[in-house]
Amino acid sequence: MDTNDQEKSVNCSKGISHLFDTGGWGRKKEQRQSEVLFMEWARVVTGKGVRFNCGGFAEGSEMGGSDRDLTVVIPNMVVLVNESSEIKDSLVPGHTIFRMCEESHRSCYAELRLETSDTAEVNLVASQTCSLSQLLEVFPDGSKYITSKLVVDKVLEMMRDIRLRDAISVDINGPCGAYKFRAGDFGTGSEDNVYAIRGSSWPPTAIEWLQRSRRFDWPSDDVIHQIADLGCLFVPLGDIYSDNQHREWRMSFVLAERLLIWNLNETQFYCYLILKLFLRMNKDLTNTILDSFMMKTVLFWVAEETEKSSWKAENLIFSLEACMKKLLYFLQKKELPHYFVKNNNLLHGKTGDVDTISAIEAKIDSILVDLPTYLHKLVGIICNGSDCIICNDISLSEMFNIDVLDGWLTRYSHHLPVYANTLHLFELDMSFFSIADLDVIQENFENIPQTILKEHVQLAFQIIYSRLGLGLYKHYLTNETVRDGNAEVDLLIEVERLLRFGSEKDAMTGKLQLVTFFIKCGRYIDAENIINSIFEEKVVLYEGLPLKGGFYKFSGLGDQRPQTTLTELIESPYIKIATDLYFCIQDWEYLPDALAHECLCHLGSISEEFIGHLVAVSPMVYMYFLSVLIYVHFKRSDVLNVIANLATRVESEQGTEMYQIGLNLLGYCHGIIGQYNNAIYYFQRSYKELPTTRNPCLLYTLMIIHKSIVKISDQN
């Protein structure tokens, strides 16, 4: 490589690294590890069972359209993976024990022979149980094996028997029970749930990995010991090329894989992201041969075989080149060894498709000719090329100019998302805990694993206190015995204390919960003080997560684009990141009337177009809506200015599920100030968005018609 080409590659490497840095992807991995570990720890301490987040979501590598993968460990079951009687004797009494039988099976696959009684009850989906005997195949010699097909069929049956949260459809995806669900502003989401049995220890078939000679000490001895302690899981998926597929179980090392991903440095992680992007952009070509698990495996092999000091920002292109060449080598050899079990060829059964493999090899060869140019084209594809501010005759050196990147990230963040946080998922998971559960979590905070970031411990505290405050206030609203005298005063003081403690859990939603409480209590001065504090702090707000980019600063009663660069915003100690507000249906009593009507009207809806369990409104729309209520109460003449700001925010929500609700809020605000023509205008638009009798715009329209009739009657 000549000097110019080397300089070009270094500049490109730095630029791509800066692109990911500015997008927050480096920070994302650390954040996601902490969030995932906290959610899993909270489930264990509250007795809700063991459930692991896996795949791209757990790694922090997920992109648009990715599923959320969950591995649920079936309780009171264990697989003995070796002949040690000591292990069997030391197991917890009452466990159902299976013996791993690998003979005559492809590496990583085994049959599981029952070693104990078949009278046990198996706890599978949502605490539903079935008899273990329903899942067994009995051989003539009396031996019994738990079969993967019967388990998967039973999981699907159970998932369809219950109405899962916001479920649109339930199906089978490999070993998983997969369901689609309504995801607020994000349309529909999907979640794959695989039910696994825990292995008793690290399996003998993977002992080589523990003892492997590693020239460059990756992974570290500490990580290797942690992975050995994790052991393996067995998931109900047989080898599709086996006559015994219906009975086989596959060894799963998902916990080891995610720990390795979490221990990658930024350059290694960015290489992994680019490999996944390559796969996505060429899925028509690669779909039948390659998958993201293989890309992860390639990266692990290259990381193990490469000097650690070479993985740095200026070498990203060279590191990526090593990964692509390694992938090409595996394809040419027609053997991609499993990272933990080397004699398991991940290309097994696929090598007969010679034409497709040759086409993939040719594609990789063409990419390796000029990786910097390919990455330039990859960015162009992601941002749809035609009006791409990067692709319009900008040279490679100019391509990575910070201002250009800032503009690109703002306009195209929904294709390569700028990472904000996953508070919506973190808080959504927390919402499934009862008040009693939250007390247990609080009591056990001192035992939180060290790998969980302090900020997530603090965030959990804030979420817990907010939920405690809301729960206590709902108790107040629904229980007349506490709404009297000193008891009432003491209870409301306690609600306010709890809500204030949780008011900083993100830029706005915590404070807006406190504002809502004050409005419901008729404390409009206190409510206005909180709203003003949001404006006065010049809060920097990320609006709506990656699907809708934008950073805003408040200025007076308006919002505007900040003059600072995106990098300066991210590095600012004052940045506060907000997510969408989600109101569950049981919260309706706590909400202002307009949103309470939305919840009540959607309650019980089972149509596929609108699964009404979640009513979503963006924080800025909600803030302006609350401001209107405050201004109306004080009869402020400039209430129209606030409504205008609300209208601007609502119109920016076009194309999202929140848009229709925003139109109703606009109509409602015009209605309460007597501008009935404007109110009807927005209600008509809302009905076009959601033409159903469950749309509260019909209720509002009838109320306005009634008022008009009464007014005419009075005049006559």
Side-chain angles (χ1 to χ4, degrees):
M1 181 182 295
D2 63 31
T3 304
N4 289 337
D5 286 342
Q6 185 169 1
E7 184 179 354
K8 175 182 175 182
S9 293
V10 168
N11 289 337
C12 184
S13 295
K14 291 179 178 178
I16 290 291
S17 296
H18 182 73
L19 173 67
F20 283 118
D21 289 344
T22 305
W25 285 89
R27 177 65 170 156
K28 177 181 183 182
K29 179 165 61 69
E30 182 186 17
Q31 291 272 351
R32 187 61 56 78
Q33 176 182 3
S34 178
E35 292 164 358
V36 162
L37 290 176
F38 180 84
M39 290 187 286
E40 293 172 359
W41 171 84
R43 288 185 60 84
V44 170
V45 297
T46 56
K48 294 187 179 300
V50 180
R51 188 179 78 172
F52 297 110
N53 290 271
C54 307
F57 173 80
E59 299 164 354
S61 68
E62 86 284 2
M63 298 173 188
S66 297
D67 295 337
R68 186 180 181 188
D69 298 321
L70 293 168
T71 298
V72 181
V73 178
I74 302 174
N76 304 321
M77 283 189 176
V78 69
V79 177
L80 298 181
V81 299
N82 58 39
E83 297 300 324
S84 171
S85 60
E86 290 81 8
I87 293 179
K88 182 176 179 179
D89 294 340
S90 67
L91 292 173
V92 178
H95 272 59
T96 300
I97 300 173
F98 300 93
R99 173 78 62 181
M100 178 181 70
C101 303
E102 292 184 280
E103 301 82 3
S104 304
H105 296 282
R106 178 183 164 194
S107 291
C108 284
Y109 292 89
E111 294 181 5
L112 306 183
R113 186 180 68 233
L114 181 67
E115 297 281 289
T116 51
S117 168
D118 65 356
T119 59
E121 289 289 308
V122 181
N123 186 342
L124 285 176
V125 180
S127 299
Q128 292 189 97
T129 61
C130 69
S131 170
L132 175 60
S133 60
Q134 295 179 262
L135 309 176
L136 299 176
E137 182 176 339
V138 183
F139 278 47
D141 64 358
S143 60
K144 301 173 183 179
Y145 293 81
I146 185 168
T147 72
S148 54
K149 184 178 187 306
L150 288 177
V151 170
V152 171
D153 289 346
K154 179 57 71 172
V155 165
L156 181 61
E157 177 188 327
M158 288 182 168
M159 290 180 75
R160 285 177 171 165
D161 281 346
I162 62 175
R163 196 175 191 288
L164 293 175
R165 184 195 73 228
D166 307 308
I168 297 173
S169 66
V170 179
D171 212 333
I172 286 296
N173 180 15
C176 305
Y179 71 96
K180 290 184 178 180
F181 57 92
R182 181 66 57 179
D185 187 30
F186 315 111
T188 58
S190 57
E191 199 168 88
D192 285 346
N193 292 258
V194 60
Y195 289 78
I197 304 177
R198 187 188 289 277
S200 60
S201 59
W202 189 257
T205 190
I207 287 295
E208 180 276 335
W209 184 84
L210 297 180
Q211 301 171 346
R212 187 179 298 167
S213 175
R214 295 176 170 86
R215 179 182 174 190
F216 299 111
D217 299 324
W218 190 94
S220 67
D221 288 342
D222 181 55
V223 172
I224 291 172
H225 291 318
Q226 290 181 55
I227 287 176
D229 290 340
L230 290 173
C232 72
L233 301 171
F234 289 83
V235 298
L237 183 68
D239 178 10
I240 61 174
Y241 304 103
S242 168
D243 294 335
N244 299 314
Q245 177 188 358
H246 70 289
R247 196 166 53 246
E248 290 178 334
W249 291 66
R250 187 181 70 191
M251 291 182 194
S252 171
F253 298 88
V254 289
L255 301 181
E257 292 160 17
R258 75 177 193 180
L259 185 57
L260 286 178
I261 292 291
W262 287 342
N263 279 276
L264 296 176
N265 69 22
E266 287 189 352
T267 300
Q268 291 168 327
F269 186 57
Y270 296 163
C271 279
Y272 177 42
L273 293 176
I274 295 171
L275 288 173
K276 292 185 71 170
L277 279 171
F278 159 75
L279 202 64
R280 172 167 293 206
M281 295 307 165
N282 295 280
K283 61 183 177 182
D284 291 342
L285 175 63
T286 63
N287 195 39
T288 59
I289 304 295
L290 301 176
D291 56 36
S292 59
F293 175 69
M294 293 180 179
M295 298 297 100
K296 187 188 308 182
T297 302
V298 168
L299 180 78
F300 288 162
W301 281 115
V302 176
E304 183 177 296
E305 298 166 0
T306 307
E307 174 63 54
K308 287 188 290 187
S309 62
S310 69
W311 293 95
K312 48 189 177 183
E314 57 264 37
N315 289 341
L316 178 62
I317 294 294
F318 305 105
S319 300
L320 183 61
E321 182 180 28
C323 292
M324 299 296 284
K325 285 182 175 179
K326 192 69 171 179
L327 174 59
L328 183 61
Y329 167 78
F330 287 141
L331 289 169
Q332 291 170 341
K333 193 179 177 183
K334 295 181 172 51
E335 183 179 351
L336 201 175
H338 190 289
Y339 183 62
F340 295 102
V341 184
K342 288 177 68 174
N343 57 351
N344 177 14
N345 179 13
L346 299 181
L347 290 173
H348 176 76
K350 299 181 177 183
T351 55
D353 192 351
V354 177
D355 292 341
T356 301
I357 291 179
S358 296
I360 296 172
E361 291 173 359
K363 180 68 176 179
I364 295 173
D365 274 329
S366 68
I367 290 170
L368 287 171
V369 171
D370 190 351
L371 258 179
T373 299
Y374 172 74
L375 288 175
H376 181 204
K377 291 179 179 178
L378 186 64
V379 171
I381 291 170
I382 294 170
C383 56
N384 298 325
S386 59
D387 63 344
C388 173
I389 60 174
I390 291 179
C391 300
N392 289 336
D393 300 321
I394 297 177
S395 69
L396 279 172
S397 60
E398 293 171 328
M399 167 184 168
F400 298 109
N401 177 276
I402 177 61
D403 294 329
V404 173
L405 284 179
D406 286 346
W408 182 83
L409 286 166
T410 300
R411 293 177 62 185
Y412 298 107
S413 60
H414 58 296
H415 291 286
L416 183 63
V418 178
Y419 176 67
N421 61 20
T422 54
L423 180 57
H424 66 300
L425 288 172
F426 191 63
E427 199 160 10
L428 190 59
D429 271 31
M430 293 294 293
S431 71
F432 288 98
F433 292 96
S434 67
I435 297 298
D437 290 332
L438 297 178
D439 288 339
V440 173
I441 292 172
Q442 188 174 355
E443 291 169 3
N444 285 274
F445 264 166
E446 61 186 36
N447 300 319
I448 279 184
Q450 292 182 350
T451 44
I452 297 176
L453 299 175
K454 289 182 180 180
E455 62 197 75
H456 286 124
V457 177
Q458 181 182 12
L459 175 62
F461 260 125
Q462 292 164 345
I463 292 174
I464 287 171
Y465 274 92
S466 291
R467 282 185 51 75
L468 285 172
L470 292 180
L472 195 58
Y473 186 58
K474 289 168 199 168
H475 174 66
Y476 162 78
L477 291 171
T478 56
N479 191 334
E480 292 185 1
T481 61
V482 299
R483 298 169 67 177
D484 178 53
N486 293 333
E488 176 178 4
V489 173
D490 292 343
L491 188 143
L492 291 178
I493 289 174
E494 177 64 7
V495 170
E496 181 180 348
R497 186 186 72 82
L498 293 170
L499 289 179
R500 283 192 182 277
F501 189 92
S503 66
E504 295 293 341
K505 72 177 188 291
D506 56 53
M508 297 179 64
T509 60
K511 287 189 174 183
L512 296 183
Q513 287 178 346
L514 187 57
V515 173
T516 304
F517 167 70
F518 286 145
I519 289 177
K520 292 285 285 185
C521 293
R523 294 168 57 181
Y524 286 92
I525 293 177
D526 292 327
E528 186 172 32
N529 287 338
I530 299 295
I531 290 287
N532 289 339
S533 74
I534 295 174
F535 290 127
E536 291 167 1
E537 286 180 11
K538 300 291 189 297
V539 176
V540 181
L541 167 69
Y542 182 83
E543 170 64 21
L545 288 176
L547 286 183
K548 261 186 54 183
F551 285 86
Y552 295 89
K553 276 184 180 177
F554 292 112
S555 177
L557 287 176
D559 53 69
Q560 61 184 17
R561 291 276 179 180
Q563 300 303 309
T564 50
T565 66
L566 190 58
T567 301
E568 289 171 332
L569 286 176
I570 290 173
E571 293 174 352
S572 167
Y574 305 108
I575 187 167
K576 296 181 181 180
I577 296 180
T579 63
D580 295 322
L581 285 172
Y582 286 94
F583 299 111
C584 297
I585 51 176
Q586 64 265 31
D587 293 347
W588 69 269
E589 290 178 300
Y590 170 72
L591 300 174
D593 290 345
L595 281 170
H597 295 158
E598 297 285 345
C599 290
L600 289 171
C601 286
H602 297 154
L603 181 61
S605 171
I606 57 173
S607 67
E608 185 167 324
E609 295 86 25
F610 197 91
I611 311 297
H613 283 200
L614 291 177
V615 173
V617 58
S618 75
M620 290 188 71
V621 166
Y622 189 54
M623 182 196 67
Y624 285 125
F625 171 67
L626 294 177
S627 298
V628 171
L629 298 183
I630 293 170
Y631 274 50
V632 168
H633 172 78
F634 288 121
K635 298 180 180 179
R636 301 268 171 77
S637 59
D638 52 349
V639 66
L640 290 176
N641 293 335
V642 186
I643 294 179
N645 284 319
L646 173 61
T648 299
R649 298 306 311 153
V650 169
E651 296 298 347
S652 73
E653 304 288 353
Q654 288 194 49
T656 74
E657 183 180 309
M658 296 187 291
Y659 182 52
Q660 173 266 322
I661 295 175
L663 292 173
N664 277 347
L665 294 180
L666 263 175
Y668 182 88
C669 290
H670 281 286
I672 60 179
I673 65 173
Q675 293 189 342
Y676 298 134
N677 288 338
N678 289 341
I680 294 293
Y681 166 75
Y682 286 113
F683 294 148
Q684 287 175 331
R685 290 178 58 186
S686 170
Y687 191 74
K688 287 181 180 179
E689 293 287 323
L690 186 66
T692 169
T693 54
R694 293 193 177 276
N695 190 331
C697 71
L698 298 179
L699 169 66
Y700 297 142
T701 302
L702 287 174
M703 292 171 62
I704 290 173
I705 292 172
H706 174 71
K707 284 188 176 183
S708 300
I709 292 173
V710 170
K711 184 176 181 180
I712 293 172
S713 298
D714 290 343
Q715 290 175 346
N716 292 335

